[in-house]
Amino acid sequence: MKARVTVTLKNGVLDPQGKAIEHALSGLGFDGVGQVRQGKVFDIELTGTDKAKAEADLKAMCDKLLANTVIENYNVAIT
């Protein structure tokens, strides 16, 4: 079973890397880019077939390691 975890900064949290990307895109001539927010993507391969257990395990992984839940949100998608 494969899963994708997407971690992004919560609204209101400053994103200096996103701001740097935004300015770099403008400098490269890409006009019309409003705001850039950067994040992280984790592609995880899991053994087993129990989708509910996999989802619970992935959420625990995010809460304990993959995301700083004080300033970041995460989304889990199992494929």
Side-chain angles (χ1 to χ4, degrees), residues 3-4 6 9 11 13 21 25-26 28 30 34 38 47 49 52 58 61 63 75:
R4 176 166 281 182
T6 305
L9 289 170
N11 289 334
V13 175
I21 294 167
L25 289 172
S26 178
L28 291 171
F30 294 102
Q38 66 88 34
T47 58
T49 57
L58 287 162
M61 290 176 202
D63 289 334
N75 180 46

Side-chain angles (χ1 to χ4, degrees), residues 20-71:
I21 294 167
E22 180 183 321
H23 287 293
L25 289 172
S26 178
L28 291 171
F30 294 102
D31 297 328
V33 175
Q35 182 182 21
V36 176
R37 303 278 290 173
Q38 66 88 34
K40 311 178 263 195
V41 175
F42 299 94
D43 289 324
I44 301 172
E45 194 166 325
L46 303 166
T47 58
T49 57
D50 186 344
K51 191 173 179 179
K53 180 182 180 334
E55 187 169 337
D57 286 348
L58 287 162
K59 288 181 178 181
M61 290 176 202
C62 290
D63 289 334
K64 292 180 180 180
L65 177 67
L66 301 179
N68 177 349
T69 57
V70 174
I71 61 168

